[in-house]
Amino acid sequence: MASAAISRGEILHLYRSLLRTARQFCDYNIREYTKRRTIDAFRQNQNLTDSSAISAAYSDGKSQLDVAKRQAIVYSLYAPTIKSVMEA
């Protein structure tokens, strides 16, 4: 990453973006998995203090966001016509 320090606002924006992208999945299981994985990853990394570790975690999160956005589009193209029992 070009900047040495990543601000708290940028990290919160990434967190909200990941959760917002998780809501775009049509399938309940995928939606909840993506949400749970996001929350767990941020909890795991909340105590990072080293700027290089924070930068690495942030760039990993950005790449995960890109993957999640692409997958949400693909899943919407092939969305199931029947709702899950969990969504009824």
Side-chain angles (χ1 to χ4, degrees), residues 19-76:
L19 291 178
R20 212 174 294 120
T21 302
R23 286 195 307 253
Q24 294 176 357
F25 285 99
C26 300
D27 185 74
Y28 172 82
N29 292 320
I30 303 297
R31 184 171 55 244
E32 290 299 313
Y33 170 76
T34 307
K35 186 172 92 171
R36 186 175 62 246
R37 182 175 161 111
T38 298
I39 292 168
D40 290 346
F42 274 80
R43 281 189 182 147
Q44 180 183 6
N45 293 325
Q46 74 181 355
N47 294 323
L48 292 178
T49 56
D50 183 32
S51 63
S52 63
I54 292 171
S55 181
Y58 182 78
S59 63
D60 183 50
K62 290 289 275 184
S63 65
Q64 291 297 321
L65 177 62
D66 292 338
V67 169
K69 283 181 178 180
R70 283 193 305 270
Q71 289 294 32
I73 292 169
V74 171
Y75 273 88
S76 70

